[in-house]
Amino acid sequence: HVRSRRQRQMCIRDSHWGSMVTVDTAIEKIGNSSICFCQELWQNGQPCVQARTTVVTLDGETRKPIRVPDAERTLLLPYLIE
């Protein structure tokens, strides 16, 4: 399956070279053909960036949206924010 994506991000504060950055990722929503991921980048215990990325499952030949396969839904459900 092919994936298409759209991303929105918000910079909260500057990050600095040389300090470790931690990325937290969760699933905000699993739709019929799309999945919305939430991510936060943290440095020195403070959030630096928040981002939301939506990926859409596409048919490889027609490039039209198709249902997210059940096997993928099952793998992603533990990371779904409720």
Side-chain angles (χ1 to χ4, degrees):
H1 301 116
V2 177
R3 301 280 187 198
S4 174
R5 69 182 168 100
R6 177 182 60 181
Q7 185 173 21
R8 294 170 286 164
Q9 63 186 31
M10 179 176 67
C11 186
I12 299 169
R13 64 176 39 89
D14 291 339
S15 57
H16 302 282
W17 181 258
S19 294
M20 184 181 291
V21 174
T22 301
V23 179
D24 292 334
T25 303
I27 307 294
E28 184 175 64
K29 178 183 175 186
I30 301 174
N32 185 47
S33 62
S34 65
I35 305 164
C36 182
F37 295 89
C38 296
Q39 294 181 304
E40 289 185 333
L41 280 65
W42 292 72
Q43 189 175 55
N44 299 321
Q46 297 183 11
C48 299
V49 177
Q50 292 178 333
R52 282 190 168 68
T53 304
T54 302
V55 295
V56 178
T57 306
L58 302 176
D59 180 281
E61 292 180 19
T62 66
R63 308 269 311 157
K64 294 188 181 210
I66 59 172
R67 179 175 163 77
V68 175
D70 290 336
E72 290 182 25
R73 289 174 184 276
T74 301
L75 289 173
L76 295 172
L77 278 175
Y79 306 100
L80 186 63
I81 300 171
E82 298 203 31

